[in-house]
Amino acid sequence: MSSASETLMSSTAGKPETTAMALLRRRNSWRAYEIVLWLIAFAMIFAMPSKALILTEITIVALFAVSLDLILGYAGIVSLGHTAFFGLGAYAAGLFAKHYFAEPVTGLLVAGIASGVLGFVTSFLVLRGSDLTRLMTTLGIGLMLAELANQMAWLTGGADGLSGVIIGPILGQFEFDLWGRTGYIYSLVTLFILTWAARRLVNSPFGLSLKAIKTNPVRASMVAIPSRHRIVAVYTIAAVYAGIAGALLTQTTSFVSPDVLAFHRSADVLLVLVLGGVGYLYGGIIGAILFTLLRDWLSVITPQYWMFWIGFVLIVIVMIGRENLARWHTFLPEPLRRAMTRIANWRPGAKIGGSR
Amino acid sequence: MTVALETRNLVKRFGGFLATNDVSLSVRQGARHALIGPNGAGKTTLINLLTGVLKPNSGQIILGGEDITALPAHRRVRKGLARTFQINQLFGEFTPLESVVLAINEREKIGGLAWAPLVAHTKVVEEAAALLQRFGLADVMGERTVVLPYGKQRLLEIALAIASKPRVLLLDEPAAGVPEEERHEVLAIVRDLPADVTVILIEHDMDLVFSFADRISVLVAGALFTEGSVSEISADPRVKAIYLGEDA
């Protein structure tokens, strides 16, 4: 940001409020990598129609990770049980479609509300204590929900899963096809809309206050931020997001199994965020792409040992350090680095930024 | 005389240690009130009690006639009690602009709005820019806070408190650690604080205390030892013995 502001200073040297407005406008304008990412994602509909299933999987993991980033990257709350919301959303969407109404967008809303309610209620548990307490509390909630789904076989189908879920056409118009193309478009549009909303959220006064709570909770309270309210709010919103991600999984696979609540999902989504980077929303999306492709590739070349290599990669990342990985480009030769910085800092004209 | 801030029989224990011992303090509105005392006298504990970082074991804190003893820290700030920290408590990765905007947002109770971007709240941005200008931070408003020189960070520390538009401002050693050549900037800001803002200054630097304060309270071993005007305190041989003598 510092280099950006320097160039800005020189061009608009003058009234401080003009500079301030320009700086803040730049702050939330769309970056080049965002636009490129979305263009590629939408181009994939046509470029790789045969890969729709794995693309859908990436999209769902990405939304789940964006959800976790809202609480981890912005409010600084670590969770080992985030799949509780994912799983509840998945079951809610499945049960709703099976027993009430098969239209999927309505199902997404129902799942989001169900998970949001659970998020709101459990948020009061994560308000207390340190990171370790939070890890254990969230882990506990996740395990409890998994066991409930397992035992309430009359409702959930137990270990066999919930079958007979038939999803109707989206908005009564678009049928899901066998190859998963509709599913990918549907998931991608959902991810795009929700990421766009999350982007607004993190760039708003609310988002700024979350980062403040994460960076320096003592000072945050001394500028009158009601930290508890803000944490409850963002935890609830993140739960809604996770629930919608779970619902997408149900709707694109027409099936729900207790696996949606399995501990490994909570761990995977943390891993995804570590891979992609925390605290800028796109870490979840980039991490989901890396993680899913890596897992897919490893499970093909070493079907028996792919978990071993995932573990290995995780250790390498942690040992090298996220900071070093995040600034990998600083190890590049100077000209290449400068070119990259220019690309990364390039934004479309202020007009687009201004309307955001 | 209107009382801006008052404590009644305030007590704080840490285990067996009495950090604040029955402190009853009254600060007049618009005062420049200094709180001095040797190291370990409980000055910072007292500040932490006043601002709600710590809860007292007994006693009351009254801000503008209202009992705020039970209020959490952020509610006290909303009621008009702001502070600065002895060691900078800033948002390192924020820019000064973002930090000040944050504080103004919360004061204006729009900090919970989650849709419109920061730039849409034009009045806030204008006020933030004006405040940064006043504090000599306008030319660095877009830099990350951690890369600023210490003196600038110190100014931001005070600017953040002022952004809350406090009625009572607690300054915990505002010039501590500031290099000599940046010091005058910080002192000028402290001197030019609005007259209607009640200022409580905690300070080791006696020159600053005597030039700035109109009233001085001396804290020793957690208890209020004596209180008086600048001339009374500077002439008090007991204060010299326990405090000034130590420094000189």
Side-chain angles (χ1 to χ4, degrees), chain B residues 17 20 53 80 87 89 98 108 111 116 135 220 231-232 240 246:
Chain B
F17 176 67
T20 304
V53 176
I87 298 161
Q89 291 280 348
E98 288 166 340
E108 291 296 313
F135 276 71
V220 177
S231 52
E232 283 164 1
K240 273 208 177 102
E246 200 182 60

Side-chain angles (χ1 to χ4, degrees), chain A residues 1-3 5-6 9 16-25 27-28 196-198 200-213 215-230 237 353-354 356, chain B residues 51-53 73-74 77-78 82-85 89-95 97-98 101-103 105-107 110-119 121-122 125-126 129 133 138-144 156-158 160-161 164:
Chain A
M1 206 169 221
S2 62
S3 62
S5 70
E6 276 160 28
M9 274 329 152
E17 58 261 37
T18 321
T19 319
M21 294 296 279
L23 278 170
L24 292 181
R25 202 167 286 132
R27 193 178 175 276
N28 43 276
W196 172 71
R200 293 207 63 125
L201 184 124
V202 300
N203 286 323
S204 71
F206 178 73
L208 187 68
S209 74
L210 290 180
K211 278 252 161 168
I213 294 166
T215 326
N216 191 340
V218 174
R219 187 62 193 233
S221 68
M222 288 301 157
V223 291
I225 298 174
S227 306
R228 296 169 60 94
H229 288 90
R230 301 284 156 83
I237 293 167
R356 292 282 163 217
Chain B
T51 52
V53 176
H74 72 269
V77 183
R78 283 205 171 160
R83 75 173 285 185
T84 67
F85 291 82
Q89 291 280 348
L90 296 168
F91 306 109
E93 295 301 314
F94 282 28
T95 64
L97 176 63
E98 288 166 340
V101 162
L102 172 80
N105 279 343
E106 296 303 331
R107 188 197 74 213
I110 61 167
L113 299 185
W115 195 248
L118 300 175
V119 68
H121 303 282
T122 324
V125 182
E126 281 167 3
Q133 171 93 322
D139 50 339
V140 294
M141 67 163 85
E143 304 290 330
R144 278 158 66 232
L156 180 59
E157 180 78 33
I158 303 171
L160 277 189
S164 307

Side-chain angles (χ1 to χ4, degrees), chain B residues 36 205-213 216 229-231 233-234 244:
Chain B
I36 65 171
D205 184 335
M206 282 306 124
D207 292 339
L208 178 53
V209 168
F210 288 145
S211 66
F212 172 79
I216 300 176
S229 68
V230 174
S231 52
I233 295 296
S234 58
L244 300 180

Side-chain angles (χ1 to χ4, degrees), chain A residues 28-334:
Chain A
N28 43 276
S29 58
W30 289 77
R31 306 293 195 273
Y33 72 83
E34 297 180 78
I35 297 165
V36 170
L37 189 77
W38 290 115
L39 285 178
I40 292 175
F42 279 99
M44 282 297 167
I45 298 168
F46 309 102
M48 290 187 166
S50 62
K51 298 279 183 206
L53 292 179
I54 190 168
L55 288 168
T56 307
E57 193 188 334
I58 292 175
T59 309
I60 293 170
V61 173
L63 181 57
F64 189 26
V66 167
S67 152
L68 184 64
D69 199 19
L70 281 177
I71 60 167
L72 179 63
Y74 287 89
I77 294 171
V78 283
S79 170
L80 262 184
H82 207 50
T83 204
F85 308 120
F86 183 87
L88 181 68
Y91 273 108
L95 291 168
F96 182 73
K98 190 173 173 180
H99 299 298
Y100 299 100
F101 189 46
E103 197 284 311
V105 176
T106 323
L108 284 189
L109 296 177
V110 169
I113 291 167
S115 292
V117 169
L118 181 68
F120 177 75
V121 173
T122 54
S123 68
F124 295 94
L125 299 172
V126 302
L127 283 177
R128 297 186 171 278
S130 60
D131 284 352
L132 186 64
T133 328
R134 284 167 172 170
L135 277 179
M136 291 305 119
T137 311
T138 50
L139 177 62
I141 295 166
L143 292 176
M144 282 164 62
L145 225 66
E147 197 49 34
L148 274 179
N150 195 29
Q151 295 299 330
M152 292 167 71
W154 57 271
L155 183 69
T156 63
D160 297 333
L162 185 72
S163 49
V165 177
I166 293 157
I167 307 295
I170 300 160
L171 301 169
Q173 298 288 319
F174 310 100
E175 290 270 8
F176 283 95
D177 59 302
L178 279 177
W179 304 274
R181 292 190 62 181
T182 313
Y184 176 57
I185 298 170
Y186 173 58
S187 306
L188 186 60
V189 169
T190 309
L191 175 68
F192 179 74
I193 292 171
L194 289 180
T195 306
W196 172 71
R199 214 179 162 284
R200 293 207 63 125
L201 184 124
V202 300
N203 286 323
S204 71
F206 178 73
L208 187 68
S209 74
L210 290 180
K211 278 252 161 168
I213 294 166
K214 185 193 173 192
T215 326
N216 191 340
V218 174
R219 187 62 193 233
S221 68
M222 288 301 157
V223 291
I225 298 174
S227 306
R228 296 169 60 94
H229 288 90
R230 301 284 156 83
I231 289 174
V232 167
V234 74
Y235 200 78
T236 305
I237 293 167
V240 170
Y241 270 54
I244 291 177
L248 281 179
L249 183 68
T250 300
Q251 294 176 347
T252 53
T253 57
S254 297
F255 181 68
V256 198
S257 79
D259 179 65
V260 293
L261 286 161
F263 168 69
H264 76 83
R265 274 192 192 270
S266 294
D268 284 354
V269 73
L270 259 180
L271 183 55
V272 163
L273 262 193
V274 171
L275 271 173
V278 174
Y280 71 106
L281 283 188
Y282 283 85
I285 298 174
I286 292 163
I289 297 169
L290 293 175
F291 177 77
T292 314
L293 293 182
L294 188 70
R295 200 187 53 187
D296 216 51
W297 176 64
L298 286 173
S299 63
V300 169
I301 60 164
T302 69
Q304 270 111 43
Y305 287 106
W306 68 273
M307 283 294 278
F308 172 88
W309 289 110
I310 290 268
F312 181 78
V313 168
L314 178 63
I315 292 170
V316 168
I317 289 170
V318 176
M319 294 309 283
I320 296 177
R322 265 195 311 231
E323 291 78 20
N324 287 331
L325 277 179
R327 56 185 190 89
W328 56 270
H329 48 85
T330 58
F331 301 108
L332 293 174
E334 181 62 26

Side-chain angles (χ1 to χ4, degrees), chain B residues 180-226:
Chain B
E180 202 50 47
E181 63 272 19
E182 296 175 78
R183 205 178 152 80
H184 66 277
E185 231 182 331
V186 177
L187 297 185
I189 285 292
V190 171
R191 204 177 41 239
D192 296 343
L193 289 170
D196 57 332
V197 175
T198 309
V199 181
I200 299 175
L201 174 76
I202 294 177
E203 191 49 74
H204 268 301
D205 184 335
M206 282 306 124
D207 292 339
L208 178 53
V209 168
F210 288 145
S211 66
F212 172 79
D214 48 29
R215 207 151 176 88
I216 300 176
S217 293
V218 185
L219 212 59
V220 177
L224 206 53
F225 179 76
T226 182

